[in-house]
C-alpha cells in the first residue's frame, strides 16, 4: 500500500474545504485549532496502471498550514509532519510521499534526528520526498511546452527561481546535461549556495528575480514560498513560458498578459481515472486524472515494489535517477501536464 501526506495551501483554503466536506464546526476555526488538530486518513485510493496492475493507497491529511511558518508556529509545524509520518507507518503503509511543505519542514528542522514519535520509531525508508519525479516532470514540461510554443531551447534563456533547492538544483542539472538550453539564470536568496551550484554546473548566471524576469524565455518556479508573490507580467518577453511548480503556487496573481503562458508545474496526468476524492479539494482541473508528481512517485514505487526512500535528503537528485523514475512513470501511464 502507498501513502500520500498532504496539506492545504492556506487557512482560508482549509476553512473552505471543511465547509465543503460538511464539517461546519471546523470551518469557523482559526490557526490555533489547526495547530492542535491530529493527522487523519481522509481518502482511500485505487490506481490502475496501463499495464493492468492495480494498487491501493491512503491520503493522510497532516493539518499543517503554511501560515504556521509565517506565524512562527514552528513547533506545531514540526509536530504535524512527525505525527502524520507516525500515523502512516502505524497504518502499515509501505511507501509514503511527503507532499508540498512536508519534506521542506523535515529537512529544514532536521527531523531525521527525531525518529521516536511516542511509541513509534520512524523507519525513514518507508518515506520519499517525491522530488526526483517532480523534477523529472518539470524538465519534461520545459522541453515539451517550449516546443509547443515554438521556443527553441538552443536559443532560450531559462530562469530557475529556487535554483538551489532540492527540486531546483535537479532541474538545473537536467537542463544542463540533457538539453542544449542556451542560458541558465540561477535565482535564490543565499549567495553561498548559489555560488556552490554555479561551481557544480560550471555555468549559469546568478541573478535577482527582477533582473532575471525580463531576460527569460522560460521561468521554472520552485521556490519554497509560503505565499505567492505578485508578478508584473508587462516586463516579460513574448512569448514567455512560466512553469509554476510551487505548492502553494509561487505566483500570487493570475495571468493577464497576451504572449505569457502559465503552466501548472510538477503535475502529471494519468491515462486512466483514479478512484479518489482528494484532487478535487486541491482544485485540479481534471481531479480524476491530474495529480502532483511527488504523489505519483509513491504510486510508482508501489507499482514496482521499490520500497525505499528513492528521493531523500537535499540536493542529491541525479540525472540518472530522474531517468529511472521517468521510465517507470511512462510505463505506468503518467505524462506531464501540458495544457495551459
Ligand atoms: P527546497 O526548500 O529544497 O528549496 C527551496 C528553494 O527556494 C531554495 O533554492 C531557496 O533558496 C528558494 N527560495 C525560498 N524562498 C525564496 C524567495 N523568497 N525568493 C527566491 N528563492 C527562494 O524546496 P523543494 O525543492 O523541496 O520544493 C520547492 C517547491 O516545490 C515548494 O513550493 C514545494 O511545495 C513544491 N513541491 C511541489 C511538488 C509537486 O509535486 N508539484 C512536490 C514537492 C514540492 P533560498 O532560501 O536561498 O532563497
Amino acid at each position: 500500500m502507498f501513502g500520500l501526506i498532504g496539506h492545504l495551501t492556506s487557512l482560508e483554503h482549509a476553512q473552505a474545504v471543511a465547509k465543503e466536506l460538511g464539517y461546519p464546526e471546523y470551518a469557523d476555526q482559526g490557526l490555533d485549532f489547526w495547530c492542535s488538530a491530529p493527522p487523519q486518513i481522509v481518502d482511500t485510493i485505487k490506481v490502475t496502471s496501463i499495464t493492468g496492475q492495480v494498487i491501493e493507497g491512503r491520503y493522510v491529511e497532516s493539518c499543517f498550514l503554511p501560515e504556521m511558518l509565517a506565524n512562527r508556529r514552528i513547533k506545531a509545524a514540526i509536530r504535524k509532519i512527525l505525527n502524520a509520518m507516525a500515523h502512516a507507518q502505524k497504518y502499515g503503509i509501505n511507501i509514503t510521499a511527503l507532499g508540498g511543505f512536508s519534506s521542506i519542514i523535515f529537512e529544514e528542522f532536521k527531523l531525521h534526528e527525531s525518529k521516536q514519535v511516542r511509541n513509534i520509531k520512524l523507519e525513514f525508508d518507508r518515506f520519499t520526498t517525491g522530488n526526483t519525479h517532480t523534477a523529472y516532470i518539470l524538465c519534461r514540461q520545459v522541453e515539451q511546452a517550449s516546443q509547443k510554443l515554438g521556443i527553441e531551447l538552443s536559443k532560450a534563456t531559462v530562469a530557475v527561481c529556487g535554483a538551489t533547492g532540492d527540486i531546483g538544483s535537479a532541474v538545473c542539472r537536467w537542463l544542463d546535461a540533457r538539453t542544449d538550453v542556451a542560458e541558465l539564470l540561477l535565482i535564490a536568496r543565499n549567495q553561498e549556495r548559489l555560488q556552490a551550484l554555479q561551481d557544480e554546473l560550471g555555468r549559469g548566471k546568478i541573478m535577482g528575480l527582477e533582473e532575471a524576469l525580463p531576460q527569460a524565455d522560460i521561468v521554472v518556479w520552485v521556490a519554497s514560498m509560503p505565499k505567492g508573490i505578485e508578478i508584473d507580467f508587462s516586463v516579460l518577453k513574448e512569448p514567455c513560458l512560466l512553469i509554476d511548480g510551487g505548492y502553494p503556487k509561487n505566483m500570487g496573481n493570475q495571468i493577464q498578459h497576451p504572449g505569457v503562458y502559465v503552466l501548472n508545474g510538477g503535475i502529471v496526468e494519468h491515462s486512466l481515472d483514479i478512484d479518489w476524492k482528494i484532487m478535487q479539494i486541491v482544485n485540479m482541473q481534471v481531479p480524476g486524472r491530474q495529480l502532483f508528481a511527488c504523489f505519483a512517485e509513491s504510486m510508482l514505487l508501489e507499482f514496482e515494489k521499490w520500497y525505499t526512500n528513492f528521493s531523500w535528503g537535499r540536493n542529491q537528485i541525479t540525472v540518472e535517477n530522474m531517468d529511472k523514475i521517468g521510465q517507470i512513470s511512462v510505463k505506468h501511464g503518467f505524462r506531464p501536464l501540458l495544457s495551459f
Side-chain angles (χ1 to χ4, degrees):
M1 193 192 302
F2 68 91
L4 315 170
I5 292 179
H7 63 82
L8 299 170
T9 55
S10 66
L11 178 59
E12 201 185 342
H13 187 200
Q15 289 167 333
V17 167
K19 200 167 170 187
E20 200 180 302
L21 293 183
Y23 298 98
E25 66 279 19
Y26 284 40
D28 301 329
Q29 302 284 350
L31 194 60
D32 279 346
F33 171 84
W34 293 92
C35 283
S36 59
Q40 285 194 36
I41 290 181
V42 296
D43 209 359
T44 300
I45 309 160
K46 211 175 255 181
V47 192
T48 307
S49 161
I50 52 171
T51 64
Q53 194 185 342
V54 182
I55 54 169
E56 215 185 276
R58 296 288 182 275
Y59 178 86
V60 184
E61 172 55 54
S62 69
C63 293
F64 163 79
L65 293 174
E67 280 93 342
M68 291 175 192
L69 296 182
N71 291 290
R72 302 195 165 277
R73 306 292 291 269
I74 306 299
K75 276 192 185 154
I78 290 174
R79 217 170 42 235
K80 299 283 123 188
I81 305 312
L82 288 174
N83 285 345
M85 290 172 77
H87 199 61
Q89 186 172 314
K90 202 165 135 192
Y91 203 82
I93 299 174
N94 300 312
I95 187 76
T96 299
L98 300 177
F101 264 78
S102 318
S103 73
I104 296 171
I105 291 166
F106 188 92
E107 288 300 328
E108 181 78 17
F109 302 110
K110 302 187 175 33
L111 301 193
H112 49 266
E113 291 167 6
S114 313
K115 269 194 159 171
Q116 196 70 38
V117 182
R118 293 180 302 280
N119 60 339
I120 306 255
K121 190 168 188 202
L122 290 177
E123 294 161 15
F124 294 142
D125 55 2
R126 287 172 176 265
F127 299 91
T128 186
T129 65
N131 287 349
T132 311
H133 191 230
T134 304
Y136 164 81
I137 289 297
L138 280 160
C139 292
R140 300 298 287 154
Q141 287 180 305
V142 169
E143 292 167 2
Q144 294 173 15
S146 61
Q147 202 176 17
K148 249 176 114 171
L149 295 176
I151 299 173
E152 279 181 62
L153 287 184
S154 61
K155 295 182 189 151
T157 296
V158 181
V160 181
C161 180
T164 53
D166 197 36
I167 300 172
S169 61
V171 167
C172 291
R173 268 175 225 124
W174 177 285
L175 292 178
D176 174 49
R178 292 294 158 88
T179 72
D180 56 358
V181 65
E183 186 76 81
L184 275 175
L185 307 182
L186 312 176
I187 305 161
R189 294 164 305 179
N190 183 303
Q191 294 302 309
E192 225 172 283
R193 286 201 289 263
L194 280 165
Q195 192 60 55
L197 177 68
Q198 192 187 47
D199 291 347
E200 179 199 325
L201 297 170
R203 65 182 289 195
K205 287 186 185 157
I206 296 171
M207 221 175 256
L209 183 62
E210 275 185 24
E211 194 189 347
L213 285 183
Q215 299 184 32
D217 300 285
I218 300 170
V219 186
V220 180
W221 298 89
V222 276
S224 49
M225 300 177 188
K227 199 169 183 296
I229 51 171
E230 300 277 318
I231 310 296
D232 177 3
F233 288 109
S234 68
V235 304
L236 299 175
K237 279 186 173 177
E238 283 180 38
C240 185
L241 170 61
L242 304 172
I243 304 180
D244 192 346
Y247 183 81
K249 290 283 159 221
N250 282 181
M251 289 189 293
N253 47 345
Q254 298 290 318
I255 179 189
Q256 307 144 334
H257 219 72
V260 178
Y261 299 86
V262 181
L263 194 56
N264 212 351
I267 304 293
V268 284
E269 251 173 352
H270 192 46
S271 308
L272 301 167
D273 282 345
I274 299 177
D275 185 9
W276 60 357
K277 296 186 286 290
I278 199 67
M279 286 300 127
Q280 218 147 359
I281 288 166
V282 291
N283 304 321
M284 286 289 168
Q285 274 174 348
V286 186
R289 294 207 171 187
Q290 295 174 354
L291 61 148
F292 300 105
C294 63
F295 285 174
E297 181 169 308
S298 72
M299 297 173 184
L300 292 169
L301 299 180
E302 174 71 22
F303 275 130
E304 294 293 317
K305 302 269 177 289
W306 293 351
Y307 294 140
T308 168
N309 44 2
F310 189 82
S311 308
W312 206 239
R314 272 304 182 254
N315 297 30
Q316 288 167 24
I317 297 174
T318 60
V319 169
E320 290 70 31
N321 272 353
M322 289 167 74
D323 269 334
K324 206 168 157 188
I325 202 82
Q327 277 160 18
I328 59 168
S329 181
V330 173
K331 172 181 167 188
H332 292 289
F334 293 98
R335 54 177 174 263
L337 180 77
L338 287 176
S339 47
F340 296 105

